[in-house]
Amino acid sequence: MGQPEIATDHKQMVKLAQEKASLDNIIGLYHEYEETVKSLEETQVMQNEKLDADMLTMVKEEIRQLEEKQTMLQEKLKLELLPKDPSDEKDIIMEIRAGAGGDEAALFAADLFRMYSRYAQSKRWNVDVISASESIGGGFKEIILEISGKGVFSRLKYERGVHRVQRVPTTEASGRIHTSTATVAVLPEAEEVELSIDPSDLRIDIFHSGGAGGQNVNKVATAVRITHLPTGMVVVCQDERSQLRNRQKAMAVLRARLLDIERSKQEQEMSSMRRSQVGTGERSEKIRTYNFPQDRLSDHRIGLTLHSLRELCRVNLTN
């Protein structure tokens, strides 16, 4: 990192800095493990000395605590030394869409957006909304956001799939419980060096933004629509007042989606039976259920069921 040719290459510096941070963590754990082993050996020697009953009890208790710490550090080191997903340290593009359930599904999509935003805030990550399509009741038909920070993809990659909620919605006058879904897609953000996009394959349209935003919305054309001609993929961004910033955001989403397609092709070659991230959004495809009447949260992939749903949400958001 101290070499002049590296110091002037920002992307290479970022990559090496991330690798160094990962190694620093492993080295720190190993040094702590060495110190614990040394303390344990010294304390075990004390057992052979002539000690009164109280002192011997204290020595045995300290040995027990050091042995527990040694085992815990061993497990941590094993996990740190496992091969890592090369995308774990990347920022992400998250796409949340209302599934089955009409207006209630849109409200649930908005709840998921708030949940992930608050979780990101607790981790000191940055959340940037790229585009949003609101429903009449205040929910979201679709919302796309960028989340950036340390280890974002490693923390959120397992959130992709169909999320199901069972509750009495505010739109229900008779108090009947509804079951609705929303889909969550988590895409690691692609760097330009990872994916080459031919400019001739793009059609870029500039237009006036819609919705709230003051006089600037109607006077200045800042919204950007990018169409990837070979795939027909369309990305729209109108959240920013700057045309350049909207274009940058739209390209980030397009790169992430195209990279995900390439990765999906590779995965399909390995296993043609592997399911896509979010399926069709049907209730039967759920990965997690939030059941408010029973105050229960269930993750169907690992067979985990937790109760006191509201208390869990409150504790996790305040910690």
Side-chain angles (χ1 to χ4, degrees):
M1 292 173 68
Q3 296 176 0
E5 62 272 22
I6 298 297
T8 55
D9 188 338
H10 175 70
K11 289 182 179 179
Q12 188 71 3
M13 277 293 290
V14 170
K15 182 179 178 181
L16 290 173
Q18 290 175 343
E19 184 179 353
K20 180 180 180 297
S22 177
L23 292 173
D24 285 344
N25 188 40
I26 296 173
I27 292 168
L29 280 172
Y30 179 69
H31 286 163
E32 188 178 359
Y33 175 78
E34 280 188 317
E35 291 172 4
T36 302
V37 170
K38 184 178 179 181
S39 298
L40 179 59
E41 291 172 349
E42 292 173 351
T43 308
Q44 286 172 334
V45 170
M46 292 176 65
Q47 286 188 113
N48 302 323
E49 299 177 1
K50 293 182 179 180
L51 303 172
D52 58 42
D54 290 341
M55 182 61 73
L56 185 60
T57 300
M58 291 175 61
V59 169
K60 287 183 177 179
E61 176 61 20
E62 186 174 352
I63 288 174
R64 184 189 66 80
Q65 292 178 357
L66 287 169
E67 286 176 340
E68 288 181 355
K69 185 177 180 181
Q70 181 186 19
T71 301
M72 179 267 292
L73 290 170
Q74 281 178 337
E75 294 303 315
K76 280 190 174 181
L77 276 168
K78 286 178 183 177
L79 288 174
E80 287 293 330
L81 291 170
L82 287 173
K84 288 183 171 57
D85 185 334
S87 298
D88 274 354
E89 294 301 318
K90 290 187 176 182
D91 300 336
I92 66 166
I93 301 294
M94 177 177 281
E95 302 179 355
I96 304 173
R97 294 182 176 86
D103 290 340
E104 167 62 3
L107 291 172
F108 181 45
D111 290 340
L112 289 177
F113 164 66
R114 283 189 290 271
M115 179 181 75
Y116 291 124
S117 295
R118 292 183 182 181
Y119 179 72
Q121 185 180 12
S122 72
K123 293 291 183 182
R124 298 186 178 181
W125 296 337
N126 295 318
V127 178
D128 198 1
V129 175
I130 294 175
S131 68
S133 175
E134 296 185 19
S135 67
I136 297 174
F140 290 111
K141 296 177 183 176
E142 174 190 87
I143 183 165
I144 301 174
L145 51 146
E146 178 186 43
I147 304 178
S148 56
K150 181 176 174 56
V152 175
F153 185 69
S154 67
R155 290 279 185 172
L156 295 178
K157 61 184 176 181
Y158 299 111
E159 293 300 304
R160 53 193 176 191
V162 178
H163 294 244
R164 182 177 71 169
V165 65
Q166 294 173 320
R167 63 185 178 186
V168 179
T170 55
T171 56
E172 176 60 50
S174 63
R176 186 166 56 92
I177 296 173
H178 282 225
T179 298
S180 305
T181 66
T183 63
V184 177
V186 180
L187 312 175
E189 197 163 27
E191 298 176 8
E192 292 184 26
V193 293
E194 290 182 285
L195 190 68
S196 177
I197 300 177
D198 189 343
S200 64
D201 289 339
L202 302 177
R203 185 177 72 238
I204 301 175
D205 302 311
I206 309 299
F207 59 97
H208 292 277
S209 299
Q215 296 178 356
N216 183 72
V217 168
N218 296 320
K219 288 187 175 180
V220 183
T222 58
V224 176
R225 181 192 300 111
I226 299 179
T227 305
H228 186 246
L229 300 176
T231 62
M233 188 178 294
V234 179
V235 179
V236 177
C237 185
Q238 57 181 8
D239 191 60
E240 299 286 341
R241 293 194 172 193
S242 163
Q243 183 186 126
L244 176 61
R245 182 66 180 138
N246 278 331
R247 180 167 177 162
Q248 290 173 338
K249 281 187 174 184
M251 282 300 298
V253 174
L254 180 63
R255 279 196 298 271
R257 288 181 180 177
L258 291 175
L259 185 63
D260 188 59
I261 289 174
E262 290 301 315
R263 286 182 175 146
S264 295
K265 288 179 181 178
Q266 294 174 4
E267 289 172 356
Q268 285 171 5
E269 290 175 3
M270 296 170 62
S271 173
S272 60
M273 299 300 293
R274 179 167 179 169
R275 302 182 67 179
S276 61
Q277 280 195 20
V278 298
T280 62
E282 292 299 321
R283 296 173 178 88
S284 60
E285 296 180 322
K286 77 279 185 180
I287 63 165
R288 189 178 299 145
T289 295
Y290 308 77
N291 188 306
F292 284 85
Q294 297 180 15
D295 210 16
R296 169 176 57 82
L297 184 146
S298 300
D299 194 302
H300 305 287
R301 298 163 296 181
I302 58 176
L304 174 68
T305 297
L306 300 173
H307 294 279
S308 302
L309 175 59
R310 292 175 178 83
E311 182 64 19
L312 284 169
C313 293
R314 186 187 67 79
V315 171
N316 286 333
L317 291 177
T318 54
N319 286 345

